[in-house]
């Protein structure tokens, strides 16, 4: 590892002698624990080709997970980690990431990449990839969108800093037609450009579900939409092969359960769907409630435990420490059900443009999925052994009763 004038540290894999023809631009990337970083890592495994990577040092805002590094290491040739201020939709972070990323790539690379792939969130990734594609450093650009860039899950607009109409941004403007130039000048914010510059310049646009594509198309002017649709690909988050879920010999396993055990991995929001699940448990007869354990693997459990106490279900809820990614996959096999839920949203014109990435990890587990969905949402269209709908507390309680009774023959209940 060394530092160069680009403020980027460089890691070169000893596992591969070949050079890479594909560059991954991912502001958030392993070893940092982040949902988008995990998805990019799984995309690399799925593609199964050598890659170089440019990413940011997220030490200030994310913890590390070395199992994510192990996941991508067989495909990683060179990894440039760029040190910049970590700010979301702000040019004070975005501009140095792009400039230092360009220097890092060009100092090590004497010819263009066949392909550059970038993924939001964060918006930085698409800006660097756009420069690489428009300035001849890559022959093809694949831009993936994790969620609608412009909108929060509650359908409110995300705040965004401005884009300066000078310097390198003027070169990006010159890469598009006159009508597109006028549109970008009128919508000169970081998040707007993070969506519309890929819409104009990327060779392929990847969305996780059809409803996300529809919402993002609705944000675009009508003259832009046909071109976007012609280059759009729908590709849900990848699921890793079964080998990644098998526990290593000698690794500790959860204690055997004497209840119907439900696993939930990640932040559990009582005010975003979690509260009604706890309320549904409270509606069950005491004899059934005593047979249920909900394990929540999270670093922030204050609101969860407060809600459980308030609803009288504290005996059915256990807070567990967060797990590194590999351990999470292995532990997922130890439960009777894995819980995933949609978040109730204000109207987008579609049931939901969001597909929880957690579902793709659950899909590879031997444990069945328990899904609480919005009718017609992308999650609602996925297979699940048990299903109820957001807002239907009685329906969730009935689902839980059915699951406990159906699985009871395999559990030694007290």
């Amino acid at each position: 590892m060394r530092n160069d004038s680009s403020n980027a540290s460089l890691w070169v894999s000893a596992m591969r002698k070949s050079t890479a023809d594909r560059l991954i631009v991912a502001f958030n990337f392993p070893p940092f624990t982040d949902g988008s970083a995990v998805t990019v890592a799984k995309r690399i495994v799925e593609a199964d080709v050598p890659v170089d990577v440019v990413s940011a040092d997220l030490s200030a805002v994310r913890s590390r997970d070395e199992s994510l590094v192990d996941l991508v290491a067989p495909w990683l040739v060179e990894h440039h980690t760029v040190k910049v201020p970590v700010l979301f939709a702000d040019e004070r972070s975005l501009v140095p990431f792009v400039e230092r990323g360009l220097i890092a790539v060009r100092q090590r690379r004497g010819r263009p990449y066949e392909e550059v792939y970038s993924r939001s969130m964060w918006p930085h990734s698409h800006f660097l990839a756009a420069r690489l594609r428009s300035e001849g450093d890559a022959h093809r650009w694949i831009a993936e969108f994790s969620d609608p860039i412009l909108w929060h899950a509650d359908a409110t607009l995300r705040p965004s800093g401005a884009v300066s109409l000078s310097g390198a941004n003027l070169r990006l403007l010159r890469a598009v037609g006159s009508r597109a130039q006028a549109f970008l000048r009128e919508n000169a914010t970081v998040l707007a450009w993070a969506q519309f510059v890929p819409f104009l310049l990327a060779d392929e646009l990847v969305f996780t579900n059809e409803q996300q594509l529809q919402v993002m198309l609705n944000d675009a002017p009508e003259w832009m939409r046909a071109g976007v649709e012609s280059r759009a690909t729908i590709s849900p988050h990848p699921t890793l092969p079964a080998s990644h879920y098998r526990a290593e010999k000698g690794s500790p396993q959860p204690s055997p359960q004497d209840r119907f055990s439900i696993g939930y991995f990640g932040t559990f929001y009582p005010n975003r769907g979690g509260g009604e699940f706890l309320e549904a448990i409270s509606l069950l007869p005491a004899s059934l409630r005593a047979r249920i354990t909900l394990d929540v693997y999270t670093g922030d459990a204050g609101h969860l435990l407060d809600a459980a106490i308030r609803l009288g279900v504290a005996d059915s809820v256990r807070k567990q420490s967060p797990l590194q990614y590999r351990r999470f996959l292995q532990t997922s096999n130890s439960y009777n059900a894995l819980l995933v839920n949609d978040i109730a949203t204000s109207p987008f014109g579609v049931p939901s443009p969001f597909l929880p990435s957690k579902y793709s990890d659950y899909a590879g587990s031997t444990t069945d999925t328990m899904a609480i969905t919005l009718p017609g949402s992308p999650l609602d269209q996925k297979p699940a052994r048990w299903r109820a709908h957001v807002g239907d507390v009685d329906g969730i309680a009935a689902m839980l009763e059915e699951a406990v009774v159906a699985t009871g023959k395999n559990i030694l209940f007290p």
Side-chain angles (χ1 to χ4, degrees), residues 313-329:
V313 297
D315 289 344
S316 296
V317 179
R318 301 190 303 191
K319 188 269 184 187
Q320 305 285 3
S321 298
L323 301 176
Q324 291 206 332
Y325 185 68
R326 177 182 292 176
R327 185 79 180 106
F328 147 55
L329 296 184

Side-chain angles (χ1 to χ4, degrees), residues 257 336 385 404-413:
Q257 299 281 349
N336 299 113
R385 181 173 178 184
V404 172
V405 171
T407 315
K409 61 181 181 296
N410 299 319
I411 304 174
L412 180 61
F413 287 129

Side-chain angles (χ1 to χ4, degrees), residues 16-17 75 86 187 189 191 203 212 229 285 291 322 364 368 371 414:
R16 286 184 182 270
K17 302 298 183 184
W75 294 272
V86 183
N187 295 274
T189 68
L191 293 183
D203 299 278
Q212 176 201 355
E229 288 183 293
R291 298 182 177 188
D368 292 315

Side-chain angles (χ1 to χ4, degrees), residues 57-99:
D57 182 348
L58 299 185
S59 301
V61 296
R62 296 288 189 270
S63 57
R64 295 174 63 94
D65 182 348
E66 300 306 326
S67 73
L68 289 173
V69 178
D70 295 339
L71 179 64
V72 297
W75 294 272
L76 216 54
V77 179
E78 293 189 359
H79 182 189
H80 305 272
T81 303
V82 180
K83 296 189 177 185
V84 297
V86 183
L87 303 167
F88 180 62
D90 193 314
E91 279 199 331
R92 291 172 295 173
S93 174
L94 188 149
V95 170
F97 176 75
V98 171
E99 296 302 328

Side-chain angles (χ1 to χ4, degrees), residues 262-264 268 277 294 337-341 358 362 370-372:
I262 305 168
Y264 185 94
F268 192 92
F277 189 79
L294 171 65
L338 299 172
L339 177 64
V340 61
N341 64 289
K358 191 183 283 94
Y362 288 179
M370 177 175 284
I372 303 175

